[in-house]
Amino acid sequence: MGEPGAVARRIAGLREAGYEIEQHPHLGYRLISSPDRLIADDILSRLPERRRWVREVMVFQSVGSTNDMVTNLARDGADAGLTVFAEEQTAGRGRLGRRWQSDPRLGLWFSILLRPGTPLAEWPRLTLWVAYAVARGIREYGGPQTMVKWPNDIYASGRKLAGILVETSLGRNPFATAGIGLNVNHPCFPAPLDTTATSLRIETGAPLDRNGIAAAILASMDESFHLIDSDFREIVAWASEVDFLRGRWISATAGSDICEGEAEGLDENGALLVRTAAGKVSRLNSGEVTRFSITSR
Ligand code: BTN
């Protein structure tokens, strides 16, 4: 595009979409602000050109659950890295069948398709990798230092900032759908959530550009996925440093088993080590921590 009329039309289109653009008679156009809307092209344009596998990004205004969308697209043969964002989810779900509240435009509600080449026995590693990649993306964007509550929550200032739901589909072409719910621009949470939930805005004191954070997280995922196979120790080392549960008395479910004891850290595969009152150490490869003490020892 070079023709002045075409540029003016494009600018008019961008203004209509919510971009604030200043026009100077000699200097040309200047972008003042972007709309508070997720825009696939905007996210894609901020990803490194030479990236490994995160290529396709879709944005929907309202869907049931982005995990369901990605899972359906995966069954139709979509490539690994396909990412679906929704401004709003009407049936967003969390772990243990809980509902995930997905307020329109306040967060990042998205799912990414994973087709790991590693043996299925290593797939429980995926959740901790997602936490690692998300936490790193947040930091790289200038967000707060976070902690991981094994295996799938990201905490900041002792409150939940993000949740991760990895669902696997086995069969001839097994794949996993990783869903992430990240609270971004919530100015506050109503009681009783206010004592347990936080957002990037609450932590940093200012609203953030969701397209920018989305791109930082996807870039971090693109760059670090190979660690699952090549150097999972790096992810475990990170998780051990920012381990929210270490030293807390916890209750965890693993399948139909319930395990109670003090969280003692992670093993080299990212399994949670729990020392029971009888002194026995249990190793949880996957599971849910349903309760934990407020203070750590
Ligand atoms: C949890 O903390 O229990 C996990 C929450 C995961 C929520 C995300 S939002 C995007 C994706 N779609 C869903 O329905 N759930 C995940």
Side-chain angles (χ1 to χ4, degrees), residues 27 37 65 78 84 105 111 121 175 297:
L27 302 175
R37 276 179 39 196
S65 156
V84 169
R105 300 197 171 198
S111 304
F175 63 87
R297 213 159 53 93

Side-chain angles (χ1 to χ4, degrees), residues 25-127:
H26 305 300
L27 302 175
Y29 296 102
R30 192 161 74 97
L31 178 65
I32 305 294
S33 69
S34 310
D36 184 19
R37 276 179 39 196
L38 288 172
I39 296 169
D41 282 343
D42 191 338
I43 297 170
L44 282 167
S45 73
R46 300 186 203 209
L47 293 177
E49 222 159 85
R50 290 165 64 90
R51 53 191 190 274
R52 303 171 197 226
W53 59 285
V54 179
R55 311 219 161 274
E56 200 180 347
V57 170
M58 295 173 162
V59 173
F60 293 89
Q61 289 314 300
S62 181
V63 304
S65 156
T66 55
N67 263 37
D68 290 343
M69 284 215 71
V70 165
T71 297
N72 289 335
L73 291 164
R75 292 203 171 112
D76 290 344
D79 289 332
L82 166 74
T83 307
V84 169
F85 289 86
E87 288 288 10
E88 175 192 38
Q89 295 184 113
T90 53
R93 63 175 176 276
R95 294 187 314 276
L96 302 174
R98 293 191 191 114
R99 192 177 148 259
W100 180 263
Q101 193 170 324
S102 321
D103 300 307
R105 300 197 171 198
L106 289 179
L108 288 177
W109 326 125
F110 66 107
S111 304
I112 180 164
L113 172 57
L114 310 174
R115 294 191 186 275
T118 48
L120 284 175
E122 287 183 3
W123 287 29
R125 294 178 172 189
L126 292 174
T127 306

Side-chain angles (χ1 to χ4, degrees), residues 168-244:
T168 50
S169 298
L170 304 177
R172 219 155 37 95
N173 290 313
F175 63 87
T177 303
I180 295 107
L182 170 62
N183 300 327
V184 180
N185 281 333
H186 302 68
C188 57
F189 287 91
L193 272 183
D194 56 342
T195 55
T196 55
T198 189
S199 70
L200 289 176
R201 178 173 176 172
I202 293 170
E203 295 302 316
T204 60
L208 283 103
D209 169 14
R210 289 180 305 139
N211 290 301
I213 303 162
I217 292 172
L218 290 184
S220 162
M221 288 179 147
D222 184 72
E223 207 261 312
S224 64
F225 188 64
H226 66 97
L227 293 176
I228 294 174
D229 206 17
S230 68
D231 193 6
F232 194 62
R233 280 170 313 178
E234 179 173 334
I235 295 174
V236 174
W238 162 81
S240 302
E241 243 172 64
V242 296
D243 183 352
F244 180 75

Side-chain angles (χ1 to χ4, degrees), residues 137-293:
I138 290 172
R139 276 305 269 171
E140 264 157 33
Y141 195 73
Q145 174 65 47
T146 53
M147 300 195 87
V148 62
K149 175 176 157 276
W150 182 93
N152 29 17
D153 287 338
I154 295 179
Y155 271 54
S157 309
R159 295 179 166 88
K160 180 161 165 169
L161 178 67
I164 296 159
L165 175 68
V166 175
E167 295 176 317
T168 50
S169 298
L170 304 177
R172 219 155 37 95
N173 290 313
F175 63 87
T177 303
I180 295 107
L182 170 62
N183 300 327
V184 180
N185 281 333
H186 302 68
C188 57
F189 287 91
L193 272 183
D194 56 342
T195 55
T196 55
T198 189
S199 70
L200 289 176
R201 178 173 176 172
I202 293 170
E203 295 302 316
T204 60
L208 283 103
D209 169 14
R210 289 180 305 139
N211 290 301
I213 303 162
I217 292 172
L218 290 184
S220 162
M221 288 179 147
D222 184 72
E223 207 261 312
S224 64
F225 188 64
H226 66 97
L227 293 176
I228 294 174
D229 206 17
S230 68
D231 193 6
F232 194 62
R233 280 170 313 178
E234 179 173 334
I235 295 174
V236 174
W238 162 81
S240 302
E241 243 172 64
V242 296
D243 183 352
F244 180 75
L245 293 176
R246 187 191 280 268
R248 291 177 199 262
W249 191 263
I250 66 154
S251 216
T253 54
S256 56
D257 294 338
I258 296 179
C259 173
E260 215 178 277
E262 184 179 318
E264 281 209 327
L266 307 174
D267 77 1
E268 68 283 3
N269 283 312
L272 181 69
L273 302 172
V274 184
R275 185 176 292 276
T276 65
K280 182 180 157 252
V281 176
S282 297
R283 202 175 286 261
L284 306 186
N285 287 310
S286 58
E288 299 296 330
V289 173
T290 48
R291 279 185 303 143
F292 54 87
S293 62

